[in-house]
Amino acid sequence: LLGLIITDQSNMRYGWFMVEIKLSFILLPLVFLTSYSFSKHQLDMVLKSFLLGSVLSGTYHLVKVVIEVNTENLSAHHLFGKYFTAPLHLGYYAHYLVFAFLISYSFLIQTKSKTYQILYGTSLALLPVFIFFTTSKAGIIGFFVVLTGILIHWIKSKSSRKKILWSVSTLAIVMLALQLTYNSKTALRFRTAYNSLVHTEISPSSSASSQARLYAWKTALSLFQNNIITGVGTGNLKTYTLNHYQQNGYIGVLKHKLNAHNQFFQTAAATGFVGLIMLLIIFWFILNYSVKYKSILLLGFGTIMFLFAFTESIFERQSGIIFFTFFALLISQLKISKNDSILTTPN
């Protein structure tokens, strides 16, 4: 809202549009503040619903794309990436699945029911499959960061579910090996990104995702350096970004009208140092809160979104804003019961 003050009159319509998109940052906290505290059962049901929805969604996408490949005689590469996640954005969808994987673990280590142990163990096995089918580089990296954290926590807690966790870990490693074989779609995406940055001349006309991001980041940093305190303004950012692309001959990013594809650069360019500090405070609060209440779920969620913010402008889409704000607020309801919650570590 403060960024509208320095927005040019010709760009006010876009400025208000950006405010409209980000209204969840105000509305959802108001809903939580004016509501009664959530009970443990309510928290359980929301998280279980998201977990169930993620597993069913991944299953649906997998069945759908397999049928399409078989009926239309398409190549095996059509099983992966945007074909698998359509119509959803593959990066955002991958991170939803990574968060669902974390939820599965948080429930598994606390349930004593054999039936639920099997169900959560099954979801832990299925979700990595769906994550790899998205071929999202950021999503796969985020998954292994979360998996590493889970394994460390599991070793420290001496969990009795060793067989399930060991099986899931083995499955994940085997899948990674298969996915990173030379001809796999996932390996191709990582290899293409590496080659485009290391072995190929970085061209302003390139539309390759990794090279294009470099020019988008360079533009956002340039705008921030020239307007360090206030940024260019909420409504001006898109116009100024496209003008910078055009003036510097960044044909690849101009063609697709890309934003910064990095939330920290995006915020800094639009609202300057003030906005960037506010953004960092949000993530600091999540880290501080998760440590204070020993919440592996909140810590994992914050880590997932923090890493994702380096490759996408996650607060420029409803699919990022609502997801982040809702679950950050929901999981933060730890003050209800510090010692009796599905969100805290055992004992």
Side-chain angles (χ1 to χ4, degrees), residues 146-165:
V146 168
L147 181 62
T148 301
I150 284 176
L151 291 176
I152 293 172
H153 177 266
W154 164 51
I155 292 170
K156 290 180 64 177
S157 65
K158 299 178 181 179
S159 172
S160 60
R161 284 80 173 178
K162 289 186 177 181
K163 289 184 179 179
I164 295 177
L165 288 169

Side-chain angles (χ1 to χ4, degrees), residues 157-177:
S157 65
K158 299 178 181 179
S159 172
S160 60
R161 284 80 173 178
K162 289 186 177 181
K163 289 184 179 179
I164 295 177
L165 288 169
W166 182 255
S167 300
V168 171
S169 302
T170 303
L171 173 66
I173 294 171
V174 171
M175 286 179 53
L176 176 65

Side-chain angles (χ1 to χ4, degrees), residues 78-246:
H78 282 76
L79 292 168
F80 302 93
K82 62 182 181 181
Y83 305 104
F84 173 74
T85 64
L88 304 175
H89 184 286
L90 62 87
Y92 288 85
Y93 185 50
H95 283 79
Y96 296 166
L97 297 175
V98 173
F99 180 53
F101 182 83
L102 184 62
I103 293 174
S104 294
Y105 173 75
S106 70
F107 277 107
L108 175 65
I109 61 176
Q110 295 170 73
T111 184
K112 296 179 180 179
S113 167
K114 293 293 184 182
T115 301
Y116 279 106
Q117 286 179 23
I118 293 173
L119 289 175
Y120 295 137
T122 301
S123 66
L124 282 174
L126 286 175
L127 288 166
V129 176
F130 303 146
I131 292 168
F132 285 121
F133 267 86
T134 67
T135 70
S136 167
K137 298 188 291 291
I140 292 172
I141 292 172
F143 167 73
F144 278 101
V145 170
V146 168
L147 181 62
T148 301
I150 284 176
L151 291 176
I152 293 172
H153 177 266
W154 164 51
I155 292 170
K156 290 180 64 177
S157 65
K158 299 178 181 179
S159 172
S160 60
R161 284 80 173 178
K162 289 186 177 181
K163 289 184 179 179
I164 295 177
L165 288 169
W166 182 255
S167 300
V168 171
S169 302
T170 303
L171 173 66
I173 294 171
V174 171
M175 286 179 53
L176 176 65
L178 291 173
Q179 286 290 321
L180 297 183
T181 55
Y182 189 80
N183 292 320
S184 75
K185 179 77 171 181
T186 306
L188 179 62
R189 281 178 58 82
F190 277 97
R191 192 163 59 249
T192 300
Y194 176 78
N195 289 335
S196 67
L197 296 176
V198 178
H199 298 301
T200 305
E201 181 181 353
I202 299 178
S203 170
S205 62
S206 174
S207 296
S209 62
S210 298
Q211 288 200 2
R213 275 180 168 83
L214 292 179
Y215 286 101
W217 295 348
K218 186 176 181 180
T219 295
L221 281 174
S222 176
L223 294 176
F224 172 57
Q225 290 170 352
N226 293 327
N227 305 271
I228 293 180
I229 303 301
T230 62
V232 299
T234 303
N236 291 335
L237 182 59
K238 183 177 181 180
T239 300
Y240 284 31
T241 298
L242 295 180
N243 287 343
H244 191 277
Y245 291 161
Q246 189 169 25

Side-chain angles (χ1 to χ4, degrees), residues 41-58:
H41 175 70
Q42 289 172 317
L43 286 169
D44 282 0
M45 292 306 297
V46 173
L47 293 169
K48 286 179 181 178
S49 297
F50 181 81
L51 173 58
L52 178 61
S54 299
V55 172
L56 292 178
S57 173

